[in-house]
Amino acid sequence: MTQTLMNHMKGDESPGGVRDDTWSRLLMQVGQERSQQAFARLFGHFAPLIKGFCLANPSSSLPGEAADELVQEVMFKVWTKAPSYDASKAAASTWIFTVMRNCRIDMIRRNSRHQVNSADVEVDDIWDEELDHQPFVRLQQARNEEMIQRSFATLPIEQKQALTQVYMQGKSHSEIAEETGLPLGTVKSRVRMGLKKIQASLGKR
Amino acid sequence: MIKHHPDHNLLTEYCAGTLDWALCLGITTHLHFCSECRNTVAHLNSIGGSLLAQGPQEQVSQDVFTNLMAQIQARETAAVEFVAQSTEPPLHPSISKDRMLTNLPKVVRKLLPKDKALRWQTVSPNLKMARLTAGQDKYEVAFHRICSGGKVAQHDHGGLEVTVVLKGSFSDGDGIYTPGDFLVRQPGEVHRPTAAQNEDCLCFSICEAPVRLTGLLGRLVNPFLSVKPA
Ligand SMILES: [Zn+2]
């Protein structure tokens, strides 16, 4: 365990690690120095990606017209929460992904009939950043992002599709099954297989 | 030692934000206890980040940026007067004095009523339950408390039921469950939990549909068990 941890720490200092990527560095500047210039560059890069995400998944509770609203809300959260961002814990893209996911859930809940207002639990209580406070996880995860991107590209098309539908289009496994006419078990196993392969490629390093 | 974890599909839906709110409460509670699943969640989040980074791009108009900077400016000005309220409000004395309800995971603590006591209902001689308000109406979210050594009447599940052990332990035909263990019962599964002899067992549970008690005792207490999501 100690040996593994040491290796991870060593790896973490190596050049080309995700820690060194431009976006993570800019996000650190936004958090630590409150740099509006760095923030403008982050906006230029991530706002079109967030909008692309939203438009790829127009739903009744989050229609395409809400895309700009989502962009503004996510980037506002990015600004306000940036001081808690830690580049050794996650790459900027992962951190912004989680901020975007939470904003999307918030917006959908605001528009939903199912929501009951009286509860004190908020989105950030469920997807709680404090639960990530583990040095071992941090180091490992930050270095893995690039590997994940590479192994994702090599997945069979149906596994890639299933993972994209889950993550990017925000669909539950049973919604995907309904829409594609595939058995739920098939959808689940495609997601699982895809994840397994990504996981395996991380182990192989 | 945690032996029962949510499966990868549940954790993926949790990370992608597509899992039902109430079930997410159960996952977060488990994560509080389980570093292994926290690790998995970190990986699953980074997959989301990778997908975002290489996803489609759509042009965003300059107006959005202008509006955003105005919003940020307004907040920076207001922030001077803003006093952060990070302290949690005090709990009702009946809750803070209950040894079983201390040191609960944060997300569960948030579900406790602030200005009133929990309403414990007797489901059967060894089993009490208290419903919690959880901001959704699809599942019944509740505490279940089994007396030490108590057996719960055999019952089956009309819908999905997720249980996370918070305090103490219980066992059934399949094994022993200790704090942090995450159990999923599918509709139609019959089981009969028994709490350990030395202490009460407190569980956090999320039920989709009424739980039916089977057997003679079951028929007597069944009326108490209608699901009232809150
Ligand atoms: Zn676990």
Side-chain angles (χ1 to χ4, degrees):
Chain A
M1 177 69 170
T2 318
Q3 188 56 46
T4 331
L5 190 59
M6 297 255 297
N7 287 343
H8 279 292
M9 292 179 69
K10 231 167 81 193
D12 199 51
E13 289 159 8
S14 71
V18 177
R19 238 153 89 88
D20 296 329
D21 86 295
T22 314
W23 309 120
S24 302
R25 219 170 36 239
L26 286 170
L27 187 49
M28 282 299 275
Q29 280 173 25
V30 173
Q32 303 310 308
E33 301 156 27
R34 307 312 271 150
S35 160
Q36 296 207 359
Q37 208 185 348
F39 184 69
R41 285 189 61 197
L42 274 181
F43 185 94
H45 180 70
F46 282 101
L49 289 169
I50 296 163
K51 188 167 180 179
F53 168 91
C54 189
L55 292 178
N57 172 40
S59 67
S60 54
S61 42
L62 197 59
E65 302 87 76
D68 282 346
E69 198 188 321
L70 182 73
V71 168
Q72 190 175 334
E73 198 162 317
V74 174
M75 292 311 292
F76 181 72
K77 280 270 166 65
V78 167
W79 173 266
T80 53
K81 293 180 76 174
S84 75
Y85 171 71
D86 179 350
S88 67
K89 191 162 116 186
S93 55
T94 294
W95 190 79
I96 291 175
F97 166 77
T98 61
V99 172
M100 176 183 76
R101 172 199 59 205
N102 293 4
C103 281
R104 190 168 55 87
I105 295 167
D106 244 348
M107 280 175 91
I108 290 174
R109 278 177 66 77
R110 256 182 271 143
N111 298 334
S112 159
R113 277 171 292 133
H114 286 293
Q115 195 203 338
V116 181
N117 275 322
S118 52
D120 287 331
V121 176
E122 288 166 44
V123 172
D124 289 343
D125 296 321
I126 292 187
W127 290 270
D128 185 355
E129 272 192 298
E130 278 176 37
L131 290 174
D132 307 335
H133 284 179
Q134 276 191 303
F136 182 65
V137 172
R138 290 184 201 177
L139 300 176
Q140 210 176 15
Q141 127 133 39
R143 295 214 306 128
N144 284 342
E145 304 235 346
E146 212 187 305
M147 299 292 295
I148 289 170
Q149 262 181 34
R150 255 184 260 154
S151 65
F152 182 80
T154 67
L155 289 181
I157 183 78
E158 72 272 7
Q159 292 170 16
K160 213 187 287 184
Q161 253 168 7
L163 281 173
T164 307
Q165 281 170 317
V166 169
Y167 276 101
M168 300 305 284
Q169 303 178 7
K171 287 177 183 145
S172 70
H173 293 4
S174 43
E175 279 169 338
I176 297 170
E178 233 166 77
E179 276 174 34
T180 55
L182 291 166
L184 180 58
T186 308
V187 174
K188 282 190 177 180
S189 83
R190 282 180 183 178
V191 170
R192 217 167 36 229
M193 293 298 290
L195 293 173
K196 221 178 189 169
K197 278 185 195 150
I198 295 175
Q199 202 85 29
S201 77
L202 294 173
K204 253 187 272 162
R205 270 180 312 160
Chain B
M1 181 65 192
I2 297 169
K3 285 203 283 301
H4 304 269
H5 307 268
D7 67 19
H8 255 60
N9 288 109
L10 275 176
L11 289 177
T12 308
E13 290 193 301
Y14 169 82
C15 291
T18 64
L19 189 65
D20 282 321
W21 185 256
L23 296 176
C24 289
L25 293 169
I27 303 272
T28 309
T29 306
H30 174 75
L31 292 179
H32 173 89
F33 293 95
C34 182
S35 61
E36 191 182 326
C37 286
R38 286 202 296 269
N39 206 344
T40 307
V41 161
H43 280 299
L44 292 169
N45 282 340
S46 56
I47 292 174
S50 307
L51 289 174
L52 172 67
Q54 58 191 12
Q57 303 192 22
E58 289 286 339
Q59 209 189 337
V60 176
S61 86
Q62 186 61 36
D63 291 354
V64 176
F65 186 69
T66 312
N67 291 343
L68 173 62
M69 292 320 284
Q71 188 188 3
I72 286 172
Q73 210 55 57
R75 182 195 180 267
E76 302 288 290
T77 318
V80 182
E81 297 143 48
F82 179 78
V83 184
Q85 271 215 312
S86 57
T87 48
E88 290 175 36
L91 294 164
H92 190 268
S94 70
I95 293 173
S96 49
K97 275 187 203 137
D98 190 336
R99 205 176 51 83
M100 287 300 268
L101 299 174
T102 54
N103 296 322
L104 294 174
K106 188 172 132 206
V107 70
V108 177
R109 229 159 49 223
K110 286 252 179 170
L111 293 170
L112 295 169
K114 300 296 174 296
D115 44 6
K116 55 178 193 253
L118 281 168
R119 282 185 49 219
W120 288 100
Q121 291 171 282
T122 302
V123 177
S124 65
N126 292 315
L127 176 68
K128 286 188 166 78
M129 72 121 59
R131 294 194 175 92
L132 300 165
T133 307
Q136 51 85 51
D137 58 10
K138 194 167 166 189
Y139 292 81
E140 178 180 83
V141 177
F143 285 139
H144 278 100
R145 187 171 183 158
I146 316 173
C147 306
S148 54
K151 276 189 173 55
V152 173
Q154 178 171 298
H155 62 281
D156 69 26
H157 298 270
L160 189 76
E161 185 192 272
V162 165
T163 303
V164 186
V165 180
L166 296 172
K167 296 273 173 80
S169 67
F170 77 88
S171 58
D172 65 10
D174 300 327
I176 298 170
Y177 310 98
T178 56
D181 273 332
F182 183 99
L183 283 87
V184 180
R185 296 284 170 200
Q186 301 294 340
E189 280 186 60
V190 177
H191 70 142
R192 185 165 195 202
T194 305
Q197 290 297 335
N198 54 343
E199 61 177 329
D200 287 7
C201 177
L202 180 71
C203 295
F204 181 56
S205 63
I206 301 127
C207 305
E208 192 177 29
V211 173
R212 284 190 303 271
L213 291 193
T214 52
L216 180 62
L217 181 66
R219 230 164 294 140
L220 291 172
V221 296
N222 210 13
F224 288 103
L225 284 176
S226 63
V227 165
K228 281 188 201 140

